[in-house]
Amino acid sequence: MSGEVGLTNVDDEAHLDAAMLAALPRERLTTHTSVTDGPQTFEGFLARDLLDALHAEGETVTALALNDYLAEIPVEDFERYDVLLADTMNCERLTRRDKGPLWIVYPRDDHAELQDIRYDYRWVWQLYRLEVE
Amino acid sequence: MTRLRAVPPYAVPSLVIVALTAFLAFALVRLFQVEQAMRVNVDENMLWVVTQAQVASHRLDQAVNRRALGNSAEDPELRLDILSSRLTLMDDGPQRRYLAAEGLEPRLDEALDRMQALREIITATPGEARFDPERLTPHLDALMASLNRIANQVMMAEWESTGSRLDTYRNSLEKVIAAIVGIGLSGAILVMLLVTALRQRRAAQRGLMAHRDRLEEEVERHIYRYRQAAEALAQALDRERGVSEFYRSFAAMVSHQFRTPLAVIDSGLQRLLRRHHQFTPEQRSERYTRLREAVAQMTRLVESSLTAARLDGKQVEPSMGRHSLSGIVDHLCRLQSEATGTRRLQTEHGTPEPWAWCDRALTEQVLANLVNNALKYSPEDRPVRITTAREGDRVICQVTDFGPGFLPKSSRSCSNASSAAAMRRAPTVPAWG
């Protein structure tokens, strides 16, 4: 994680391994997605918990995927909704051959407005980097 | 023969309201359908998925070749994983159904097979030989060719789908527009019906007001008739009271006024009965003359009392006309002279001739009363003077005698015969008439 991050460990960035991420509070979320059939159960940690843990403060988070996909997400999304950074789907670990290592998942079944197409591009999978601005 | 039944007044507005509601419901349903259709975005998402898979396959191809050229920073395994991720996404439920619907399922299966072959080569081969382009490229080319065909087909399918969806939107919007026109027409009809109803209501109000006015006039006419009847009844009652007053007054006057002449007649007749042998013919003739005079006085009293009683009882209805006051006076004096033989009456008339608007008989009666009183209560050797004159728009008749006159408080009743007994001698007050 880079940008406006309070806690860093490599230069101005915070590099997190699986053990560090496992220390964050675990959350579970069951919701439909736009690319799968039926409800899916995800496990992981809340995006706002990660930002709080690293004392990250900003208005926008730029999420980058392994295929160089990039999406800008308002931090307000993480404050208003329980946005999950999932590492498990239906009790199976997400790998980079699928949507891993992390997949940004919105609780779209709990909020009708999240079913709008303008939220779908924020579901970044194969997430590996966040830049806080 | 079947009679046509009248259409209820609320039928047409009800039908219009039903039509309005139907148009509105239809428009809402159509708009809802369009809104739902616009939410379906799998087409656009599918094109993105396929192109990203294409990019991933080319990045894998690039990484394999660069690795073969000695660039160790390239990571073909990572690129293969990314490509696997894209193809796995295409293999998921919604994406696979879409591709199957477009007849691209064999192409997808071939791409997945090629990817599996690539993974087997990379995982089963040790060392740098696992990234040998000679072994990987045939599968990679076939995979890229399949993705290219899929992308091509998806692009055309999307254009067809977009065109079809636009047709659907257009068709729906045309129907919605037609429904809105129907709503407008229904609204216009409702407005017309409303205006018509308001006009009818106003006309009914005007009719009601006219009817009320007629009714008020009718009531007023009845009230006027009843008032006239009441007034007639009141007049009749007044006349009845007058008649009653007339008889009462007449009886009072007769009982009061007739005693004297009756006493004179009675005493005269008694004398004639007792002493008629002692009287000479001249004396008897004188007695008879006195008796006749008493009878004549009674006759005058009767006439006078009747008139006075009529006046008191309001039984006299004046018959107004234009009469010469000097003519009335002359006629009265002539009758008075013939009846009484008096030569005391003197008349004097001014010019121009005094015409008066009056009841001749009543005027004669009033003047006769005055003249009689003047003759009666003034010295016999003095004249009674009657003058008539005209002053502006009035006529004056003045009866002057030279008697002692009346007390002032008695003068107001002097014209009332019944008040004659109340007359008082007043030496200091000049006579008048």
Side-chain angles (χ1 to χ4, degrees), chain A residues 34-37 66-69 96-99 115-117 120 125-126, chain B residues 41 48 52 59 78 81-82 84-86 88-89 92-95 97 119:
Chain A
S34 63
V35 294
T36 55
D37 287 330
L66 291 173
N67 66 337
D68 297 331
Y69 177 80
R96 67 183 191 183
R97 293 183 185 178
D98 190 3
K99 306 285 191 309
Q115 296 168 19
D116 189 280
I117 190 173
D120 287 348
W125 62 75
Q126 291 182 320
Chain B
N41 61 336
W48 169 256
Q52 286 301 298
R59 292 292 297 275
L78 171 64
D81 286 345
I82 293 172
S84 298
S85 170
R86 300 297 133 185
T88 302
L89 177 66
D92 279 337
Q95 292 72 239
R97 283 197 297 277
R119 184 166 297 287

Side-chain angles (χ1 to χ4, degrees), chain B residues 243-256:
Chain B
V243 169
S244 175
E245 178 65 19
F246 165 73
Y247 284 116
R248 190 189 64 75
S249 180
F250 181 72
M253 282 187 290
V254 165
S255 63
H256 184 269

Side-chain angles (χ1 to χ4, degrees), chain A residues 99-120:
Chain A
K99 306 285 191 309
L102 294 172
W103 188 2
I104 297 177
V105 178
Y106 278 74
R108 63 181 290 161
D109 287 0
D110 298 335
H111 304 277
E113 68 269 22
L114 296 180
Q115 296 168 19
D116 189 280
I117 190 173
R118 281 165 292 194
Y119 281 95
D120 287 348

